[in-house]
Amino acid sequence: MAGSSFGTIFRITTWGESHGKALGVVIDGCPAGLPLEESDIQRYLDRRKPGASSVSTPRKEEDLVEILSGVFEGRTTGTPISLMIRNTSQISRDYSEIADCFRPGHADYTFDQKYGFRDYRGGGRSSGRETAGRVAAGAVACKALSQLGVDVCAYTRSIGPVEADLTRFDREAILSTPTAMPDREADRAAVAYLEAAKRETDSVGGCMECRVEGLPAGIGEPVFEKLDANLAKAVMSIGAVKAVEIGDGCQVSRRKGSENNDGFQMQDGRLYKTSNHAGGILGGISDGDTLLIRAHVKPTPSIYLPQDTVNRAGENTVLRIKGRHDPVIVPRAVVVMECMTALTLLDAMMVNLSARMDSLVDFYTRA
Amino acid sequence: MAGSSFGTIFRITTWGESHGKALGVVIDGCPAGLPLEESDIQRYLDRRKPGASSVSTPRKEEDLVEILSGVFEGRTTGTPISLMIRNTSQISRDYSEIADCFRPGHADYTFDQKYGFRDYRGGGRSSGRETAGRVAAGAVACKALSQLGVDVCAYTRSIGPVEADLTRFDREAILSTPTAMPDREADRAAVAYLEAAKRETDSVGGCMECRVEGLPAGIGEPVFEKLDANLAKAVMSIGAVKAVEIGDGCQVSRRKGSENNDGFQMQDGRLYKTSNHAGGILGGISDGDTLLIRAHVKPTPSIYLPQDTVNRAGENTVLRIKGRHDPVIVPRAVVVMECMTALTLLDAMMVNLSARMDSLVDFYTRA
Amino acid sequence: MAGSSFGTIFRITTWGESHGKALGVVIDGCPAGLPLEESDIQRYLDRRKPGASSVSTPRKEEDLVEILSGVFEGRTTGTPISLMIRNTSQISRDYSEIADCFRPGHADYTFDQKYGFRDYRGGGRSSGRETAGRVAAGAVACKALSQLGVDVCAYTRSIGPVEADLTRFDREAILSTPTAMPDREADRAAVAYLEAAKRETDSVGGCMECRVEGLPAGIGEPVFEKLDANLAKAVMSIGAVKAVEIGDGCQVSRRKGSENNDGFQMQDGRLYKTSNHAGGILGGISDGDTLLIRAHVKPTPSIYLPQDTVNRAGENTVLRIKGRHDPVIVPRAVVVMECMTALTLLDAMMVNLSARMDSLVDFYTRA
Amino acid sequence: MAGSSFGTIFRITTWGESHGKALGVVIDGCPAGLPLEESDIQRYLDRRKPGASSVSTPRKEEDLVEILSGVFEGRTTGTPISLMIRNTSQISRDYSEIADCFRPGHADYTFDQKYGFRDYRGGGRSSGRETAGRVAAGAVACKALSQLGVDVCAYTRSIGPVEADLTRFDREAILSTPTAMPDREADRAAVAYLEAAKRETDSVGGCMECRVEGLPAGIGEPVFEKLDANLAKAVMSIGAVKAVEIGDGCQVSRRKGSENNDGFQMQDGRLYKTSNHAGGILGGISDGDTLLIRAHVKPTPSIYLPQDTVNRAGENTVLRIKGRHDPVIVPRAVVVMECMTALTLLDAMMVNLSARMDSLVDFYTRA
């Protein structure tokens, strides 16, 4: 069944395996007239490129994007935008060990159970490399959102026990530190922590956060297409994410109503909330305040330590994973979270165009 | 835009406002031949009925379900099943205060921003009463799942600081305690805590959990229709839920890979996992182990304490909510979580029917 | 699988069997703020009511519609509109003959093959009565379209060999003649033809046509959601329709390009087509000209003449259908065609809102 | 809005413009385990290749397909299959005339109205070249259908006034004659007719037909996803098709019920229909008999004769189309009709897997 598409009006379909010929995405439903060139997309793909630092795999993936359709004379035409990234770094290697056994924490076993067999090269479709298509499409969504005054920004909130101090929020650091933290001090502590984990041939988990400014009130559709429900799906669909929080998230279950409710007040003729425990969403609809989403990411399952597992013949065995792997997933996943958020928001904003009859009348009967 | 449907093959559409004439749901895509009668559904609706205890609103809602179509001679026919619940308890009352101002923590403001106005009677479509349709449909899904050997069970995990001790797990207690906790001792402590909160005219939050036994491996569709992604959406779409966790959830962000990976082993010719941090899902596909989902629920936003807010004229005002409200949402939401989980799983199991070519050949070419 | 929904944004789901408790429809995605009352809908339902003339079945079906949700203080709220029609005229009768055998030209055999059994009372879900839900929803779509300046008008084009002369087009006649022809002279000839067929205890086929004025250019989505493709689906989904034509339809296969192309010309500063062979659609997108669709409808399959058939036990038998049936389907199907066309057009106009980036920017950044 | 996808479970998304870098399709939801190689697809693409005869445009388009993902070791993996065809023959030429004016019978005007501008090179997305993606995907569907015992065969029924005599049906001729007629005698007459039209610098219309053998009874979903409704949409979405007929099609509107009903009879323990006016579909569900669909195709709108039209500046002008064009669309569209039919049928067969509860129980509880 078709599970590779996301969105209702601004709808993307990703394709490609880790070590196949290429990966890509088709964006269907992008409005006509958006200025777009390959460099707009490449900028985002470069953020998930490995090999950028000591705490990332030294594999080289250039991930050069090619626009194959849907753009004419520098603008989107309203027809499908096909984006492709050729795989260039797959070297011929021996996959026999992972082909024959089920790596703990990976999808080897479940793919085999579902489909009867799998493309075992580098994890095939279940590889994190699959997210390249999401990021390429998300870059287009981000560009469209910026024209609508919406700014989406994801970053690493914590790595293992090391948490970013948001009072020192430095947006530029997100793009330049190895951890994608918005706090250079925490970044240095996290790098030290990661290097220790690498020495133990182990891996670590972390937390990422996304905040959105400029989103108007009224976005999201009751009762199943609520904005928070779709954001939860979008973010939970990123491999290794095991929990999603909106606003104060898990903390609300220990709160009193008198603490948790956000009051409304007028100031200078504008309504605002006196606090934002809700994270910008009430009843599944945006309230005009800052949107806040958090995702908890498990440690990289590929570790060099020996692990008990089972092979395809149904025999117990011990696995020692070779190859080059990130000791933490979060820093390269931050841009994926930003993109999945952007895709969800842009689609929801397009869906919202038809909420009121007077907008339709206005659209079709003016001049 | 259409946001009131859920599911791809087993697809439900709910309708109705809190104080309208009726509420209901249409189930489209239910397989033919499932034995079904009204009592199968009524049993689930009764679990979300208020007025059952000292810690629930004393409002009376009988919520009697009527099957209007899709069942013939005691079995589903494969055509749409329409279920309706007449609203009988709406008493004529004065809504002027909530009609004119935005209740903190509610969707009044966001509905007004989206649609220009709203049905303010009892919260209209944003009321928790909307979930009656979900529960009616979920009861049908649960019945179908039981024929497939899948058992879905949700319960209250914690209320405020009071947590159920799962080593004392008592399934019968879920249905008979006022808190829907599976632990009678914790239930008593939680009731005491709730009564104290009621005396303070305040409300409290809580946490609910759902576990599923008997789900086969292989359910869920990469990469956007992953089982965990759809469960997250399903559960986050329940009003007041602010965080969703799968398996060990938030804890994974502080783990090492060596701690978090679940090993595989063979025993008596069957593969099993040596632990279940993953909560039964790997790569978005079920792994045959127990499925575990957790949801954090905010305190009831309707509190009797005075609150600062704004009216529709854009003036600051102080709101004192009247009427009868639950001091905690969780106990009545547990059955909603169970139903949303069941709807997600049944649909995913139906979607999975076409995963392999040999199943199609078998289906269409056998005798 | 879910097959009872139609539309993407303005999305309807119909339910109900011919002789069940009730029939109905849920409209999800109707914009907020459309004035709506039951009489707006009743007017359309009355047009498909039987018993109105000598050439219609004398069965009585009052078909009174009830609005159960989605309308507050006389306007749609943006939430699902649930419409129900109670079945009141089902009299207890003996269905044993049709329960046990497959009526030629009906769906008895195919429903049994698909689902294993069927609700045989009056054809169950495959009855023409199913269209009551479509008409109820279509009435709402027509009301919305009228606010957008779009006028949809269907009528009987021919009955057997008797064709309406459109040079005598009389719109009022569509609503007042027994045949729904826009030409009173042809109506009289058709009635005579029908009465002769009734005397022979036979039935006859016919052709219906729908024309739409005021539809702006630009509606329809390449390449699979073309306006003509969706209209063809909408109209072909009406029971008994066996062919659909757009514009000159079948005639184009015998034409030369020089005859069939419609030229463009400017007049008084406005572009128009010098002919309309295309029927208002070019490349699947409306061109601003009159939309023209035609549907060919088979004769009523329920005839009183004895017919060879097979029973459920797999034995040859002879069937003599009892009961009261229309000698022709078309006159009562005309309003169904009008409604299916309206539903298709309104949805397509809502979908088109997001075709251009500048519209989005305008919508979200103006005051 | 997203209009480039087709199908529910076996779902395709096409992309690409006539003179862009490439065209392609992503197939999502193809079951795992289907043997597939590029030559399976190339065979179908070669059937729509121009330049094969005197009655086809002498343009050269090699249309070599590349499988980019979803196939591993010669079998489909259940993940998206990405197919790409590089455009190689676009020569740099002067499009200024068609860029600036609206070609009669083409989508130039409607694309401009919808999107504000268009990719005018060779018709862009509205070109017949768009169907290359449909054919590539359809080839995969045909291969899957053949494993299910379903045979789909389309051919040219008539060109202008020259009709194939089906009593001389020669399947091999469909693939080898320039007209794709199954009757070599009619083919020769049609070629003569086409050459005369070419000399007049005019074009002609035609009719194509598709018949399907081996389709089991029970396929199609009431009431909006009926098999005939989806086939009508599929075929009407092919550019230039203006009418679609099922079975006896338009003829039924002049029939009596006693003539049009197909009787049922048992023979050798099997049920069959004594005639097939219905074309294999009753109540929107296949009845096990031969499926028959017909499509009427307008003459190629690109003709060399001078035509009155309007330019983008809103001035009357006379257009003389240059370049190389087919004098008739049908022979190259036949394979597109075959593929759209195959895509519709395979999807409907996959959807039908969940029609009965006992099938689900069997699937999940056997072994």
Side-chain angles (χ1 to χ4, degrees):
Chain A
M1 142 89 200
S4 296
S5 297
F6 186 81
T8 296
I9 294 188
F10 190 93
R11 187 168 174 87
I12 70 166
T13 303
T14 70
W15 55 270
E17 286 81 38
S18 177
H19 284 54
K21 281 189 168 182
L23 295 108
V25 64
V26 180
I27 304 169
D28 198 17
C30 184
L34 178 72
L36 189 70
E37 48 191 54
E38 282 163 358
S39 62
D40 292 320
I41 299 162
Q42 195 61 51
R43 214 153 41 86
Y44 281 77
L45 284 171
D46 289 349
R47 286 172 62 190
R48 66 169 292 290
K49 195 163 64 173
S53 81
S54 63
V55 294
S56 155
T57 166
R59 265 180 297 127
K60 282 272 177 288
E61 290 160 358
E62 275 308 319
D63 284 0
L64 292 179
V65 71
E66 188 178 5
I67 299 177
L68 294 174
S69 70
V71 176
F72 182 60
E73 297 180 344
R75 285 184 299 163
T76 58
T77 58
T79 62
I81 303 169
S82 179
L83 305 174
M84 181 174 67
I85 298 149
R86 285 276 181 191
N87 278 326
T88 53
S89 73
Q90 334 90 297
I91 40 169
S92 176
R93 44 167 290 205
D94 181 11
Y95 290 106
S96 56
E97 188 160 53
I98 68 165
D100 282 346
C101 87
F102 305 129
R103 291 170 297 164
H106 278 281
D108 300 340
Y109 174 67
T110 54
F111 266 68
D112 263 21
Q113 288 290 304
K114 185 174 192 74
Y115 299 115
F117 73 112
R118 72 194 132 95
D119 179 346
Y120 46 72
R121 300 166 303 166
R125 182 71 175 155
S126 73
S127 163
R129 234 181 118 49
E130 165 264 321
T131 59
R134 304 180 183 216
V135 170
V140 180
C142 284
K143 183 141 195 199
L145 284 174
S146 75
Q147 292 209 353
L148 303 174
V150 180
D151 176 54
V152 183
C153 175
Y155 47 85
T156 299
R157 180 71 195 262
S158 66
I159 286 180
V162 183
E163 191 141 346
D165 179 348
L166 298 186
T167 63
R168 289 194 293 255
F169 195 91
D170 172 359
R171 184 157 183 175
E172 198 277 320
I174 301 167
L175 301 178
S176 60
T177 60
T179 61
M181 276 180 162
D183 165 7
R184 292 179 192 281
E185 207 165 300
D187 170 67
R188 280 188 291 273
V191 167
Y193 179 77
L194 284 168
E195 283 169 351
K198 269 182 84 173
R199 281 191 298 271
E200 297 162 16
T201 60
D202 210 339
S203 65
V204 307
C207 175
M208 53 194 183
E209 199 165 76
C210 186
R211 63 178 58 199
V212 180
E213 305 288 350
L215 186 70
I219 308 303
E221 305 298 310
V223 297
F224 295 113
E225 305 296 331
K226 286 176 173 171
L227 193 58
D228 38 6
N230 277 325
L231 286 167
K233 175 174 180 168
V235 172
M236 191 68 94
S237 78
I238 304 172
V241 170
K242 300 299 285 183
V244 177
E245 302 179 273
I246 304 291
D248 288 355
C250 296
Q251 295 176 50
V252 302
S253 55
R254 305 224 164 195
R255 288 251 180 79
K256 294 277 176 70
S258 56
E259 299 165 311
N260 197 61
N261 281 351
D262 303 310
F264 291 107
Q265 284 295 293
M266 296 302 294
Q267 191 167 51
D268 304 331
R270 295 183 62 120
L271 177 144
Y272 71 100
K273 277 159 53 207
T274 53
S275 55
N276 189 17
H277 301 302
I281 301 180
L282 284 169
I285 303 173
S286 65
D287 65 13
D289 209 333
T290 302
L291 202 75
L292 203 72
I293 320 147
R294 218 161 18 258
H296 296 265
V297 181
K298 73 178 183 182
T300 317
S302 292
I303 56 175
Y304 305 91
L305 295 169
Q307 297 182 87
D308 287 332
T309 190
V310 168
N311 64 22
R312 297 196 79 207
E315 299 159 336
N316 288 329
T317 182
V318 172
L319 173 72
R320 282 162 215 274
I321 290 176
K322 301 180 197 76
R324 300 156 298 175
H325 299 281
D326 293 320
V328 64
I329 290 167
V330 168
R332 294 178 59 203
V334 155
V335 67
V336 184
M337 187 186 192
E338 191 170 304
C339 285
M340 289 307 299
T341 302
L343 289 164
T344 307
L345 296 180
L346 178 59
D347 189 46
M349 290 179 80
M350 290 169 77
V351 160
N352 181 58
L353 291 174
S354 57
R356 298 190 195 187
M357 194 64 211
D358 55 11
S359 309
L360 257 100
V361 172
D362 182 46
F363 185 92
Y364 281 112
T365 60
R366 68 191 172 196
Chain B
M1 143 90 199
S4 296
S5 296
F6 186 81
T8 297
I9 294 188
F10 190 94
R11 187 167 174 87
I12 70 166
T13 302
T14 70
W15 54 269
E17 286 82 38
S18 177
H19 284 53
K21 282 189 168 184
L23 295 109
V25 63
V26 181
I27 305 170
D28 197 16
C30 184
L34 179 71
L36 189 69
E37 48 191 53
E38 282 162 359
S39 62
D40 291 320
I41 300 163
Q42 196 60 52
R43 214 153 40 87
Y44 281 77
L45 285 170
D46 289 347
R47 287 172 62 190
R48 66 169 293 289
K49 197 163 65 173
S53 80
S54 63
V55 294
S56 157
T57 165
R59 264 180 297 126
K60 283 270 177 286
E61 289 159 359
E62 275 309 319
D63 284 0
L64 291 179
V65 71
E66 188 179 4
I67 299 177
L68 295 174
S69 70
V71 176
F72 181 58
E73 297 180 344
R75 285 184 300 162
T76 59
T77 58
T79 62
I81 302 169
S82 179
L83 305 174
M84 180 173 69
I85 297 150
R86 284 276 179 193
N87 278 326
T88 54
S89 73
Q90 334 89 296
I91 38 170
S92 178
R93 43 169 289 202
D94 180 11
Y95 291 105
S96 56
E97 188 158 56
I98 70 167
D100 282 345
C101 87
F102 305 128
R103 289 170 298 162
H106 277 283
D108 300 340
Y109 174 67
T110 54
F111 265 69
D112 263 20
Q113 287 291 303
K114 184 173 194 75
Y115 299 114
F117 73 112
R118 70 194 134 95
D119 178 346
Y120 47 73
R121 300 166 302 164
R125 182 73 176 153
S126 73
S127 162
R129 232 180 120 49
E130 165 263 321
T131 59
R134 304 181 184 217
V135 170
V140 181
C142 284
K143 182 142 197 201
L145 285 173
S146 74
Q147 292 210 351
L148 303 174
V150 181
D151 176 54
V152 183
C153 175
Y155 47 85
T156 299
R157 180 70 194 263
S158 66
I159 286 179
V162 184
E163 189 141 348
D165 179 348
L166 299 186
T167 63
R168 289 193 293 254
F169 195 92
D170 172 359
R171 184 154 181 175
E172 199 278 320
I174 301 168
L175 301 178
S176 59
T177 61
T179 60
M181 277 181 163
D183 166 7
R184 292 180 191 281
E185 208 165 300
D187 170 67
R188 280 188 290 273
V191 167
Y193 180 77
L194 284 167
E195 283 169 350
K198 270 183 81 172
R199 282 191 298 271
E200 295 162 19
T201 61
D202 210 339
S203 65
V204 307
C207 176
M208 53 193 181
E209 199 165 76
C210 186
R211 61 178 58 200
V212 181
E213 305 289 350
L215 187 70
I219 308 304
E221 305 298 309
V223 297
F224 294 113
E225 304 296 331
K226 286 177 173 170
L227 192 58
D228 40 5
N230 277 326
L231 286 167
K233 174 174 179 166
V235 172
M236 192 68 94
S237 78
I238 304 171
V241 171
K242 300 300 285 186
V244 177
E245 302 179 271
I246 304 290
D248 288 355
C250 296
Q251 295 176 50
V252 303
S253 57
R254 305 223 163 194
R255 289 256 179 78
K256 295 278 174 73
S258 56
E259 300 165 310
N260 196 63
N261 281 351
D262 302 311
F264 291 108
Q265 284 293 290
M266 296 303 293
Q267 192 167 51
D268 304 331
R270 295 184 60 122
L271 178 144
Y272 71 100
K273 278 159 53 205
T274 53
S275 55
N276 189 17
H277 301 302
I281 301 180
L282 285 170
I285 303 172
S286 64
D287 65 13
D289 208 333
T290 302
L291 203 76
L292 204 72
I293 320 147
R294 220 163 13 259
H296 296 264
V297 181
K298 72 177 184 184
T300 316
S302 290
I303 55 175
Y304 304 89
L305 295 169
Q307 298 182 86
D308 287 332
T309 189
V310 168
N311 63 21
R312 297 196 79 205
E315 299 158 339
N316 288 331
T317 181
V318 173
L319 173 71
R320 282 163 216 273
I321 290 176
K322 300 179 198 76
R324 299 154 298 173
H325 299 281
D326 293 318
V328 63
I329 290 167
V330 168
R332 292 179 58 205
V334 156
V335 67
V336 184
M337 186 187 195
E338 191 169 304
C339 285
M340 290 307 298
T341 302
L343 289 164
T344 307
L345 295 181
L346 178 60
D347 189 47
M349 289 179 81
M350 291 170 77
V351 160
N352 182 58
L353 292 175
S354 57
R356 299 190 193 188
M357 195 62 211
D358 54 12
S359 310
L360 258 100
V361 172
D362 183 46
F363 185 93
Y364 282 112
T365 61
R366 68 191 171 193
Chain C
M1 142 91 200
S4 297
S5 296
F6 186 81
T8 296
I9 293 187
F10 189 95
R11 187 167 175 86
I12 70 165
T13 303
T14 69
W15 55 269
E17 285 82 38
S18 177
H19 284 54
K21 282 189 168 183
L23 295 108
V25 64
V26 180
I27 305 170
D28 198 17
C30 184
L34 178 72
L36 189 70
E37 49 190 55
E38 282 163 359
S39 62
D40 291 320
I41 299 162
Q42 196 60 52
R43 213 154 41 89
Y44 281 77
L45 285 170
D46 289 348
R47 287 172 60 191
R48 65 170 292 291
K49 196 163 65 172
S53 80
S54 63
V55 294
S56 156
T57 164
R59 264 181 296 127
K60 282 272 175 285
E61 290 160 356
E62 275 309 319
D63 285 359
L64 291 179
V65 72
E66 189 180 3
I67 299 177
L68 295 174
S69 70
V71 176
F72 182 59
E73 298 180 345
R75 286 184 300 161
T76 59
T77 58
T79 62
I81 302 170
S82 179
L83 305 174
M84 181 173 68
I85 298 149
R86 285 274 180 194
N87 277 327
T88 53
S89 73
Q90 334 89 296
I91 39 169
S92 176
R93 44 169 289 205
D94 180 11
Y95 289 106
S96 56
E97 187 159 54
I98 69 166
D100 282 346
C101 87
F102 306 128
R103 290 171 296 163
H106 278 280
D108 300 337
Y109 174 67
T110 55
F111 266 67
D112 263 20
Q113 287 291 303
K114 184 173 193 75
Y115 299 115
F117 73 112
R118 70 194 134 94
D119 179 346
Y120 46 73
R121 299 166 301 166
R125 182 73 174 154
S126 73
S127 163
R129 236 182 115 49
E130 166 264 322
T131 59
R134 305 181 183 216
V135 170
V140 180
C142 284
K143 182 140 196 204
L145 284 173
S146 75
Q147 292 208 352
L148 303 174
V150 180
D151 176 54
V152 183
C153 174
Y155 47 84
T156 298
R157 180 70 194 263
S158 66
I159 286 180
V162 183
E163 191 142 345
D165 179 347
L166 299 186
T167 64
R168 290 194 293 254
F169 195 92
D170 171 358
R171 185 156 181 173
E172 199 277 319
I174 301 168
L175 300 178
S176 59
T177 61
T179 61
M181 276 179 162
D183 165 7
R184 292 178 190 280
E185 206 165 302
D187 170 67
R188 280 187 291 273
V191 167
Y193 180 77
L194 284 167
E195 283 169 349
K198 269 183 82 173
R199 281 190 299 272
E200 297 162 17
T201 61
D202 210 339
S203 65
V204 308
C207 175
M208 51 194 183
E209 200 166 75
C210 186
R211 60 178 59 200
V212 181
E213 304 289 350
L215 187 71
I219 308 304
E221 306 297 309
V223 296
F224 295 113
E225 305 296 331
K226 287 176 172 170
L227 192 58
D228 39 5
N230 277 327
L231 287 168
K233 175 174 179 168
V235 172
M236 192 68 95
S237 79
I238 304 171
V241 171
K242 300 300 285 183
V244 177
E245 301 180 272
I246 304 290
D248 288 356
C250 297
Q251 295 176 52
V252 302
S253 56
R254 306 224 163 193
R255 289 253 180 77
K256 295 277 176 71
S258 56
E259 300 164 311
N260 196 62
N261 282 350
D262 302 310
F264 292 107
Q265 283 296 291
M266 296 303 293
Q267 192 168 49
D268 304 330
R270 296 184 61 121
L271 178 144
Y272 70 101
K273 279 157 55 205
T274 54
S275 54
N276 188 18
H277 302 301
I281 302 180
L282 284 169
I285 303 172
S286 65
D287 65 14
D289 209 332
T290 301
L291 202 75
L292 203 72
I293 320 147
R294 218 160 18 257
H296 296 264
V297 181
K298 72 178 185 184
T300 317
S302 291
I303 55 175
Y304 305 91
L305 295 169
Q307 296 181 88
D308 286 332
T309 189
V310 167
N311 64 22
R312 296 196 80 205
E315 299 158 336
N316 288 330
T317 182
V318 173
L319 173 72
R320 281 161 217 273
I321 290 176
K322 300 178 197 81
R324 300 155 298 174
H325 299 280
D326 292 319
V328 64
I329 291 168
V330 167
R332 293 179 57 204
V334 155
V335 68
V336 184
M337 187 186 193
E338 191 169 303
C339 285
M340 289 308 299
T341 301
L343 289 164
T344 307
L345 296 180
L346 178 60
D347 189 47
M349 290 180 81
M350 291 169 77
V351 160
N352 181 58
L353 291 175
S354 57
R356 299 189 193 189
M357 194 64 212
D358 54 12
S359 310
L360 257 98
V361 172
D362 183 46
F363 185 92
Y364 281 113
T365 60
R366 66 190 172 193
Chain D
M1 142 90 201
S4 296
S5 297
F6 185 81
T8 297
I9 294 188
F10 190 94
R11 186 166 174 88
I12 71 166
T13 302
T14 70
W15 55 268
E17 285 82 38
S18 176
H19 285 54
K21 282 189 169 183
L23 296 110
V25 64
V26 179
I27 304 170
D28 199 16
C30 184
L34 178 72
L36 189 69
E37 47 190 54
E38 283 163 358
S39 62
D40 291 320
I41 300 162
Q42 195 61 52
R43 213 153 43 87
Y44 280 78
L45 285 170
D46 289 349
R47 287 171 62 190
R48 65 169 293 291
K49 196 163 66 172
S53 80
S54 62
V55 293
S56 156
T57 165
R59 266 180 297 127
K60 281 273 176 285
E61 289 159 0
E62 276 308 319
D63 284 358
L64 291 179
V65 71
E66 189 180 3
I67 299 177
L68 295 173
S69 70
V71 176
F72 182 59
E73 298 181 342
R75 286 185 298 163
T76 58
T77 59
T79 62
I81 303 168
S82 179
L83 304 174
M84 181 174 68
I85 299 149
R86 286 276 180 191
N87 278 326
T88 53
S89 73
Q90 335 87 297
I91 40 169
S92 176
R93 43 167 289 203
D94 180 10
Y95 290 105
S96 55
E97 189 159 52
I98 70 167
D100 283 346
C101 87
F102 305 129
R103 290 170 298 162
H106 278 279
D108 300 340
Y109 174 67
T110 54
F111 266 68
D112 263 21
Q113 288 291 305
K114 185 174 192 73
Y115 299 115
F117 73 112
R118 72 195 132 96
D119 178 348
Y120 46 73
R121 300 165 304 164
R125 182 72 175 154
S126 73
S127 162
R129 234 183 117 49
E130 165 265 321
T131 59
R134 305 179 183 218
V135 170
V140 180
C142 284
K143 183 143 194 199
L145 284 174
S146 75
Q147 292 210 351
L148 303 175
V150 180
D151 176 54
V152 184
C153 174
Y155 48 84
T156 299
R157 179 71 193 263
S158 67
I159 286 179
V162 184
E163 191 141 346
D165 179 347
L166 299 187
T167 64
R168 289 192 296 251
F169 195 90
D170 172 0
R171 185 155 180 177
E172 199 278 322
I174 301 168
L175 301 178
S176 59
T177 60
T179 61
M181 276 180 165
D183 166 7
R184 291 179 193 281
E185 208 165 300
D187 169 68
R188 280 187 292 273
V191 167
Y193 179 76
L194 283 167
E195 283 170 350
K198 269 182 82 172
R199 280 190 301 271
E200 297 162 18
T201 62
D202 210 338
S203 64
V204 308
C207 174
M208 53 195 182
E209 198 164 80
C210 186
R211 59 177 61 198
V212 180
E213 305 289 350
L215 187 70
I219 308 304
E221 306 298 310
V223 296
F224 295 113
E225 303 297 330
K226 286 177 173 171
L227 192 58
D228 40 4
N230 277 326
L231 286 168
K233 175 173 178 169
V235 172
M236 192 68 95
S237 78
I238 304 171
V241 171
K242 300 300 284 184
V244 177
E245 301 180 272
I246 304 290
D248 287 355
C250 296
Q251 293 176 53
V252 302
S253 55
R254 305 223 164 195
R255 289 253 180 80
K256 295 277 174 74
S258 56
E259 299 165 311
N260 196 62
N261 281 352
D262 302 310
F264 292 107
Q265 283 294 289
M266 295 304 292
Q267 191 167 50
D268 303 332
R270 296 184 59 122
L271 177 146
Y272 71 100
K273 279 158 53 207
T274 53
S275 56
N276 189 18
H277 301 302
I281 302 179
L282 285 168
I285 303 174
S286 64
D287 64 14
D289 208 333
T290 302
L291 203 77
L292 202 72
I293 320 147
R294 222 164 11 260
H296 295 265
V297 181
K298 72 179 185 182
T300 317
S302 290
I303 55 175
Y304 305 89
L305 296 168
Q307 296 181 87
D308 287 332
T309 190
V310 168
N311 64 21
R312 297 195 79 204
E315 298 159 338
N316 288 331
T317 181
V318 172
L319 172 72
R320 281 161 217 273
I321 290 177
K322 299 179 198 79
R324 300 154 299 173
H325 298 280
D326 292 319
V328 64
I329 290 167
V330 167
R332 292 179 59 203
V334 156
V335 68
V336 183
M337 185 186 195
E338 191 169 305
C339 285
M340 290 307 299
T341 301
L343 289 163
T344 306
L345 295 180
L346 178 59
D347 190 46
M349 290 179 80
M350 291 169 77
V351 160
N352 181 58
L353 292 175
S354 57
R356 298 189 194 188
M357 195 63 211
D358 55 11
S359 310
L360 258 98
V361 171
D362 182 46
F363 185 92
Y364 282 112
T365 60
R366 71 190 168 194

